[in-house]
Amino acid sequence: MKIILIGAPFFTEKLEKLLNEYDNNKYIFLDLSNSNIDKLMYLIKILSADFIYFNSSYVCCSKAVSLALFFKKKIVFHWTGTDVTTAISRFNDNMHNNKYISNVIHKSAATWLIEELKGIGVDAGYLPDYVYEDFDKEILVPDKFVVLTYVGKGREIFYGIDTIIDLAIDFPDIEFRIAGISEYNFRNIPLNINLLGWVDMKSEYENCVIYIRYPEHDGEPHSVKEALSYGKVVVYNRDYPFVEYVKNYDDILKVFSGVLHK
């Protein structure tokens, strides 16, 4: 079979590589967001494709999806997080196409998203997102106490930057490292926060003690799985296996106190 993979390049390219090594099907990644060549290739390759896999999902308004529906291709939507909130908003505003719901195979990367999707008529099965890190690795003990997190550029509030800044103020002797952004101008950044920008996360995971994931809404993030694979204490505001599940700021303080006094 020939399967076209569409989604964010950072993850979907890795998925293409892994799947092509796994079996004899042909997996083809196309970056429809950034490449005009890939858009042209999609028009050509969709004719002979058996499946179209979208690593981001919709209830309307995608030319790529509409074209796949027109050619009656089998389509898989893999709901991952923010696409769910966008879909709910568009559904509630009556900006949805019923074919995107009824003529598609729906999968969810997180169990809690399944219930959210039911509210818009999407019946999704659970399919954990792929993991490409080697879990059989040496667990290193850092030389100092470092807290790591990720904040998306342009979505800093959504990713919980205010909580991280508050923690840095409450724990001035601990270094906090934020990947994903290199500047932030809406609050004063304490001296014990380092804004890393886009970096190699491998060394960051190795050198931290705690990894924090505290967004307003989430799927089943790669970063949580990766941090766990490095043996780190993961503070997360979703009830997920092996993490320190926190519901509010006081819960985070309790986790920090427990780790610091071990």
Side-chain angles (χ1 to χ4, degrees), residues 55-262:
N55 190 29
S56 186
S57 308
Y58 314 85
V59 289
C60 76
C61 314
S62 165
K63 293 180 180 178
V65 175
S66 294
L67 189 63
L69 287 169
F70 176 80
F71 284 115
K72 295 181 170 54
K73 297 298 178 178
K74 294 179 180 177
I75 302 169
V76 176
F77 279 175
H78 202 178
W79 297 88
T80 57
T82 303
D83 51 358
V84 175
T85 55
T86 300
I88 291 172
S89 176
R90 289 185 173 173
F91 186 90
N92 290 337
D93 290 338
N94 201 28
M95 295 175 58
H96 63 284
N97 183 336
N98 285 327
K99 290 182 178 180
Y100 281 51
I101 296 174
S102 59
N103 293 15
V104 172
I105 300 167
H106 297 276
K107 298 296 180 181
S108 170
T111 55
W112 53 85
L113 296 179
I114 293 174
E115 294 303 314
E116 295 180 25
L117 288 166
K118 285 181 179 178
I120 60 173
V122 172
D123 184 15
Y126 177 51
L127 179 64
D129 221 341
Y130 49 90
V131 177
Y132 51 86
E133 281 288 337
D134 177 12
F135 276 56
D136 186 20
K137 59 171 69 70
E138 181 184 2
I139 303 300
L140 303 177
V141 179
D143 295 330
K144 62 178 182 177
F145 199 105
V146 172
V147 176
L148 175 67
T149 191
Y150 168 83
V151 169
K153 186 176 181 181
R155 305 184 70 202
E156 292 86 352
I157 300 298
F158 175 89
Y159 277 95
I161 192 169
D162 285 332
T163 297
I164 303 303
I165 293 173
D166 291 343
L167 284 168
I169 293 170
D170 285 341
F171 295 92
D173 296 327
I174 293 177
E175 180 184 358
F176 289 77
R177 297 173 68 80
I178 302 178
I181 57 173
S182 55
E183 61 179 6
Y184 187 65
N185 301 316
F186 298 96
R187 276 188 70 179
N188 290 328
I189 299 297
L191 295 177
N192 56 326
I193 287 182
N194 286 319
L195 303 181
L196 306 173
W198 195 255
V199 293
D200 174 17
M201 292 297 288
K202 179 178 182 296
S203 61
E204 296 298 329
Y205 288 129
E206 289 177 344
N207 293 315
C208 76
V209 173
I210 292 177
Y211 178 79
I212 298 179
R213 177 86 175 183
Y214 201 75
E216 293 178 1
H217 184 271
D218 213 0
E220 197 171 271
H222 296 273
S223 62
V224 166
K225 300 173 187 177
E226 289 167 348
L228 288 170
S229 80
Y230 282 89
K232 305 306 173 179
V233 175
V234 176
V235 177
Y236 189 31
N237 60 348
R238 295 292 182 275
D239 191 3
Y240 190 76
F242 308 112
V243 306
E244 296 289 343
Y245 173 41
V246 296
K247 297 180 180 179
N248 50 49
Y249 193 78
D250 286 341
D251 286 348
I252 300 175
L253 293 179
K254 290 175 184 177
V255 173
F256 268 62
S257 179
V259 174
L260 284 168
H261 293 95
K262 278 187 177 180

Side-chain angles (χ1 to χ4, degrees), residues 22-40:
Y22 180 75
D23 60 32
N24 293 323
N25 293 314
K26 179 62 176 178
Y27 300 91
I28 304 166
F29 162 65
L30 295 176
D31 181 7
L32 302 188
S33 297
N34 303 300
S35 172
N36 288 328
I37 293 177
D38 280 8
K39 290 177 182 177
L40 177 61

